Amino acid sequence: MARKTGSHSEITGPRIRAEASRLFARHGFAAVSMRQIAAAVGVQAGALYLYTPDKEALLFDLLKTHMEELLAAWHTEPKGAEPLEALERFVRFHIGFNLMRSEAVFLSYMELRNLSEANFAVIEGLRRAYETELEEILKAGQAAGALSVPDTKLATMAIIAMLTGVNTWYREGGRLSRDTVETIYWDMVRKAVGA
Amino acid sequence: MARKTGSHSEITGPRIRAEASRLFARHGFAAVSMRQIAAAVGVQAGALYLYTPDKEALLFDLLKTHMEELLAAWHTEPKGAEPLEALERFVRFHIGFNLMRSEAVFLSYMELRNLSEANFAVIEGLRRAYETELEEILKAGQAAGALSVPDTKLATMAIIAMLTGVNTWYREGGRLSRDTVETIYWDMVRKAVGA
DNA sequence: TTGAAGAGTGAACGTGCGTTCAGTTACCCT
DNA sequence: AGGGTAACTGAACGCACGTTCACTCTTCAA
C-alpha cells in the first residue's frame, strides 16, 4: 500500500516535527533513529526524506523554529514603560513561554552540539539576540538608576539561567501554580538587581 | 602484540575514565562509540571491557564518582557560623568546584537520561542530597531572620540553576577572574534572599 | 626455571543505523 | 475517463555499533 486516505503532506510534515521533538527531548538526538520517528508518525523511514534532507536538518529546523518563535513572541509582548516593569515582563514572559514549550527549550539547550558548525552559529546567534533583549533592559535600568547591576552581562546570564531552571522541576498540577512561581521568581530577580 | 612495557591497569583504568568523560562531554554519550574511547586511550575496544561491564556502567561510574566527590568536598568545607556566611560559602564553593570540574558537571546535567532507571535513581538521590544542603542553609537563615525566603524549595532551585549557569559561559583567562565572578554572584544571591 | 595471572589484541557476532530508490497507490485536474 | 503527480512503501546499500572470545605476550612469585 501507499498513501492512506486523508494523508497529506500538510498533516505528515508537522507530525514528523512533533514526534521528532518529543523523541529527541526524551532520549536525545543521537539515541533516536529515523525509524523510531517514522514509527511514531505511522510511516516508513523513507517517507521522512520527503520532508527533510537528512536527520541533522530535522533537528536544526526544530531549534531554529523554536528560537524564532521565542523572539517573535517576545516582540509582540507589550513593553513596560519603566525599567522595573520591563524587567518584570521579561521574567514572566520567559518563565511562561518556556513552560509552554518545555520540549523545545530542552532541545535548544541540550542538542546544540549535534549541529554542524554553520547551523550551530545560526542558533547561537538567535540565542544571543534573545539574551541581548534582557541585557538592554538591565542597561537601561542601570542608566535610569532604577537598577543596581555591577555587570550587565553577568546579570543577564544569571537571570536567564535562573529562570530557565524552572523547566527542570516545574510540573503542571504541582504544589505551585504557574503564576505563583512567576511571582516568586520575579521577587527574587527584583531584589537581586534592584537599586 | 599484547601488553606494552610499563602499561598497567592502574594507568589504563583512569585514562579510560578521563577520555570517556572528555568525549561524552564533548559529543554526548550516545554519539561516542567504545572504539572512539579506546582509540583515545590507545588500546583496542575489547580492552575496555576489562574495566567496565558495559558502556552505560562507564557513564554511571563517572556520574556517581562526580556526585560523591562533590558532596565529600562540600563536607570538608569549613562551615559558616552565621546564616549569611554559610550561604556565601556555599555560593563560592559551588561556583569554584563546578568550574574545576566542568566536564563532569556538564555530564551530570546532560546525560542522566542515558541511565537505567535504577542508576538514574542513585544519581538523582545524590543530587537531591546536595540540594538539601543549600535548602537547610536557607531554612536556618529564614528561621534566624537573617534571610527572607518565601519558598525555600524554589529559592534552592533558583540559586543552584543560577550558579551552575556560570559553567555555560565562563572561560579561563576571560574578562573576569574566578574570584570576581564569585563575588558578583554572591552579591546577587545575597540581595535576592537577604532579609 | 616455570607457570599462573594480568593486560591487551584482533577478528568476529548479530543488529541497527542513515539514506536511496524503483515501484505502487490515491487523488486531482482537465 | 484517464493521465500526471504527490505521497508513501519496502527492500536494499554499506557501514558502524556494542560486545565476546580465543589467543598472545609480559610480568613476577615460588
Side-chain angles (χ1 to χ4, degrees):
Chain A
M1 297 148 271
R3 190 183 210 186
K4 288 155 193 153
T5 324
S7 180
H8 301 300
S9 82
E10 302 94 60
I11 294 174
T12 306
R15 285 206 58 207
I16 289 174
R17 285 190 285 277
E19 295 294 344
S21 176
R22 194 176 59 81
L23 288 167
F24 288 163
R26 180 121 47 190
H27 307 291
F29 174 76
V32 172
S33 72
M34 294 300 264
R35 272 168 253 257
Q36 281 176 266
I37 298 169
V41 173
V43 296
Q44 294 298 313
L48 302 184
Y49 291 85
L50 295 168
Y51 301 92
T52 183
D54 52 46
K55 195 187 176 192
E56 196 216 302
L58 181 51
L59 174 64
F60 177 63
D61 180 56
L62 292 174
L63 300 191
K64 182 157 174 285
T65 302
H66 169 67
M67 292 308 296
E68 284 170 350
E69 286 177 356
L70 173 68
L71 277 162
W74 169 245
H75 283 132
T76 67
E77 196 81 0
K79 298 284 159 281
E82 293 161 47
L84 267 179
E85 196 191 339
L87 184 55
E88 177 172 5
R89 288 228 205 267
F90 185 90
V91 168
R92 291 187 182 274
F93 167 79
H94 188 90
I95 293 178
F97 191 87
N98 277 12
L99 286 182
M100 269 175 46
R101 311 282 184 99
S102 54
E103 261 174 21
V105 171
F106 201 70
L107 281 184
S108 297
Y109 277 85
M110 306 280 272
E111 304 295 355
L112 283 171
R113 58 185 165 184
N114 292 295
L115 258 27
S116 72
E117 215 168 313
N119 285 345
F120 175 84
V122 172
I123 304 299
E124 186 79 348
L126 290 167
R127 215 185 50 191
R128 239 193 272 276
Y130 182 68
E131 290 167 2
T132 302
E133 295 287 325
L134 172 56
E135 192 173 1
E136 291 303 324
I137 292 174
L138 295 178
K139 278 182 182 168
Q142 170 83 356
L147 300 178
S148 168
V149 188
D151 189 299
T152 54
K153 189 72 198 155
L154 250 68
T156 300
M157 300 310 281
I159 291 171
I160 286 188
M162 178 173 149
L163 299 181
T164 307
V166 172
N167 271 46
T168 64
W169 57 264
Y170 185 85
R171 294 296 169 265
E172 207 67 46
R175 189 166 61 88
L176 302 168
S177 76
R178 184 174 303 192
D179 188 67
T180 306
V181 172
E182 283 179 17
T183 301
I184 293 177
Y185 269 75
W186 161 236
D187 194 54
M188 289 190 281
V189 169
R190 184 178 42 75
K191 285 160 68 183
V193 298
Chain B
M1 298 149 270
R3 188 182 212 186
K4 287 157 196 151
T5 325
S7 180
H8 301 300
S9 80
E10 303 94 59
I11 294 174
T12 306
R15 285 206 59 206
I16 289 175
R17 284 189 286 277
E19 294 294 344
S21 175
R22 194 176 60 84
L23 289 167
F24 288 164
R26 180 119 49 189
H27 307 291
F29 174 77
V32 173
S33 72
M34 294 300 264
R35 272 168 254 255
Q36 281 176 265
I37 299 169
V41 173
V43 296
Q44 294 298 312
L48 301 184
Y49 291 85
L50 295 167
Y51 300 91
T52 183
D54 53 45
K55 194 188 175 190
E56 196 217 302
L58 180 53
L59 174 64
F60 177 63
D61 180 55
L62 292 174
L63 299 191
K64 184 158 172 284
T65 300
H66 169 68
M67 292 309 296
E68 285 171 350
E69 286 177 356
L70 173 68
L71 277 162
W74 169 245
H75 283 133
T76 66
E77 195 81 358
K79 297 283 161 281
E82 293 161 47
L84 267 179
E85 196 191 339
L87 183 55
E88 178 173 4
R89 288 228 203 268
F90 185 91
V91 168
R92 292 187 181 273
F93 168 79
H94 188 90
I95 292 178
F97 191 88
N98 277 12
L99 285 183
M100 269 175 46
R101 312 281 185 96
S102 54
E103 260 175 22
V105 170
F106 201 71
L107 280 184
S108 298
Y109 276 85
M110 306 279 273
E111 304 296 354
L112 283 171
R113 57 186 166 184
N114 292 295
L115 258 28
S116 72
E117 214 168 314
N119 284 345
F120 176 84
V122 172
I123 304 299
E124 186 78 348
L126 290 167
R127 214 185 51 189
R128 238 193 273 277
Y130 181 68
E131 289 168 1
T132 302
E133 296 287 324
L134 172 57
E135 192 173 1
E136 291 303 324
I137 292 174
L138 296 178
K139 277 182 182 167
Q142 170 83 356
L147 300 178
S148 170
V149 188
D151 189 299
T152 55
K153 188 72 198 156
L154 250 66
T156 299
M157 300 309 282
I159 291 172
I160 285 188
M162 179 172 147
L163 299 181
T164 306
V166 173
N167 270 47
T168 64
W169 56 265
Y170 184 85
R171 294 295 170 265
E172 208 66 47
R175 199 180 100 231
L176 302 168
S177 76
R178 183 174 303 193
D179 189 67
T180 306
V181 173
E182 284 179 16
T183 302
I184 294 178
Y185 270 74
W186 162 235
D187 195 53
M188 288 191 281
V189 169
R190 184 177 43 74
K191 285 160 68 184
V193 299

